[in-house]
Amino acid sequence: MSLEESAKIVADQIRRQQYVEVYAHHDADGIAAGAILCHAMLRAGIRFRLRICAETPRTGFSHDAATLLCDMGSGTEDLPLETIVVDHHLPVFTGQFHANPRLEKIDGDRELSAAGMAYLVARQMGDNRDLAGLVMPGIIGDGQAFAGKNLEIFNEGVANGIIVPARGITLAGRDMAERWLLATRPYLDGISGDETAVADLLADAQGTNGLNTGTLLSLAVLRSAPQTSAEGLGLLYGDTLRLEREVIEDAHALTAVIDACGKSGYGDLAVALCLRSSAELTDAWERARQHYLAVIGAVKTVRPDTEAGTAVYEAQDASLASDIADVLSRDRVQQAPVLVYAKAGGSCRCSARTPASVSADIGPVVRDLAAACGGNGGGHRTRAGATIPCDQLAAFVKGWQEALLA
């Protein structure tokens, strides 16, 4: 079966409904995927309720309405078979209404995000070409490549005037100072979160005709290079995308804001932006600012759990664990996959990442360990997460270390 055929099967099932319960993962890719399909349902006259979740719901499915899972569900075996799943994670769900690039031998790590998969479903539901811009937060947020199906969607968006590519600084913020202050992609040691350092950086980069971008980038690299990886520094400048139909036009900024709002418990703000409401824009930016300053503060203070072993870190806030893991694995020099855990009540949130310099397929490892510990988890080859009972943390970490050293 082709990807378009599986997208059509899911689209036809959605079109049969009068009302759909939608659950979307709380990161940029999941929220964008959910919003794309909600746009399509709204235009098709289908009623829905969208909820943003940190993990796949296991209970509470209604027998009176269809359930649609976005950017989650593929890794869950015991879902009701009639569940509709639009995802790109490692698949074990066997229901027939399952749109996932991996089922069609397409790389869900690099070449198609959940938002991209949702867009292909939406295209089968009507003329939803204007939603191509919302695929970009999925690609950027999950660190994917503009290759394969991602590239096809991008090219379609450019051809239709939905996406306008350029080159420039990729940091997210409302002004130049905020872009450097809130820098977490990449995290810049000695600059991120430090207002004085940012002010000095911008002052030193002033030329006769104003701010000199080349000087600014050179100074940033020189000042943060001792503790920042080459991969991280390479993210400072590159392809920028202007999204002509979205309330935040800069794709990197839109990605950063909806990701921060979703992870910090304000998924409603993130969804409102993706549904093209500007009423909540200021509030959403402030929530994002608070979130990234908290991430920066956590990165500055987090220390390895020396009892747990190599590259295992304990964070104090479960809502920050994923972003901390991203920073530590991408922007710091690491010799092994990174595991960050944070306790929240009786549960423990674990985020695992594989640095670019390390070859390890951690998705199946995390999924199997989480199941063995009475929790749930999974993900991609280089990015994965799990939620387990806190009393199983030692067993999870031990299994993690054994798997990596095997």
Side-chain angles (χ1 to χ4, degrees), residues 37-104:
L37 290 172
C38 287
H39 272 292
M41 285 188 285
L42 186 64
R43 294 168 180 180
I46 301 167
R47 296 167 54 242
F48 59 85
R49 176 169 61 169
L50 171 60
R51 283 174 275 192
I52 306 303
C53 308
E55 57 188 50
T56 304
R58 296 301 187 111
T59 59
F61 292 135
S62 171
H63 295 293
D64 300 322
T67 298
L68 167 61
L69 303 182
C70 300
D71 195 29
M72 56 187 179
S74 288
T76 306
E77 291 184 274
D78 56 353
L79 290 174
L81 291 179
E82 66 273 15
T83 305
I84 306 169
V85 173
V86 177
D87 198 0
H88 67 138
H89 292 92
L90 298 170
V92 295
F93 173 62
T94 58
Q96 62 176 314
F97 307 117
H98 185 186
N100 186 322
R102 296 179 190 269
L103 295 174
E104 316 307 331

Side-chain angles (χ1 to χ4, degrees), residues 55 79 84 91 96 98 109-110 113 131 153 174 199 209 211 213 227 247 295 360 370 375-376 379 381 388 391 403-404:
E55 57 188 50
L79 290 174
I84 306 169
Q96 62 176 314
H98 185 186
D109 271 3
R110 296 184 67 258
S113 65
L131 302 178
I153 295 170
R174 287 167 287 188
N209 297 315
L211 191 67
T213 300
Q227 298 295 328
V247 295
V295 171
N376 60 85
R381 184 179 62 82
I388 59 172
D391 60 7
L404 294 177

Side-chain angles (χ1 to χ4, degrees), residues 43 117 179 200 252 358:
R43 294 168 180 180
M117 190 70 251
R179 293 169 81 177
D200 290 343
H252 287 87
V358 177

Side-chain angles (χ1 to χ4, degrees), residues 110-300:
R110 296 184 67 258
E111 296 186 2
L112 194 63
S113 65
M117 190 70 251
Y119 176 77
L120 296 181
V121 173
R123 291 285 281 114
Q124 295 290 337
M125 295 176 64
D127 185 2
N128 290 303
R129 288 174 293 174
D130 65 302
L131 302 178
L134 284 175
V135 178
M136 301 306 106
I139 298 172
I140 295 169
D142 272 18
Q144 293 202 346
F146 284 87
K149 287 293 179 180
N150 282 339
L151 183 59
E152 289 182 19
I153 295 170
F154 168 77
N155 286 339
E156 183 178 296
V158 172
N160 289 319
I162 306 300
I163 302 167
V164 179
R167 297 280 290 175
I169 295 173
T170 61
L171 300 175
R174 287 167 287 188
D175 56 40
M176 187 58 72
E178 189 174 65
R179 293 169 81 177
W180 294 91
L181 181 69
L182 303 184
T184 56
R185 189 182 184 274
Y187 172 88
L188 300 168
D189 189 71
I191 298 175
S192 298
D194 189 327
E195 291 185 352
T196 300
V198 170
D200 290 343
L201 175 68
L202 296 179
D204 292 344
Q206 292 293 327
T208 55
N209 297 315
L211 191 67
N212 186 304
T213 300
T215 301
L216 175 61
L217 290 167
S218 297
L219 289 173
V221 169
L222 289 171
R223 293 177 186 183
S224 59
Q227 298 295 328
T228 306
S229 70
E231 180 192 5
L233 292 171
L235 295 174
L236 280 173
Y237 187 91
D239 294 325
T240 61
L241 310 172
R242 189 171 78 244
L243 308 179
E244 294 293 327
R245 302 297 179 89
E246 309 310 325
V247 295
I248 297 178
E249 290 188 343
D250 179 79
H252 287 87
L254 178 62
T255 302
V257 173
I258 64 177
D259 195 69
C261 287
K263 290 175 180 175
S264 58
Y266 295 92
D268 55 336
L269 295 179
V271 169
L273 297 184
C274 291
L275 293 180
R276 297 172 176 168
S277 169
S278 59
E280 298 82 6
L281 186 56
T282 299
D283 194 8
W285 264 113
E286 287 305 313
R287 298 296 180 186
R289 181 184 177 94
Q290 293 172 20
H291 176 78
Y292 288 117
L293 288 176
V295 171
I296 291 165
V299 171
K300 288 181 177 180

Side-chain angles (χ1 to χ4, degrees), residues 305 308 312-318 321 339-343 348-351 393 397:
D305 183 342
V312 177
Y313 301 81
E314 180 179 7
Q316 301 305 311
D317 188 335
L339 178 67
V340 176
Y341 68 86
K343 299 174 183 177
C348 187
R349 184 78 54 79
C350 303
S351 292
L393 176 61
V397 172

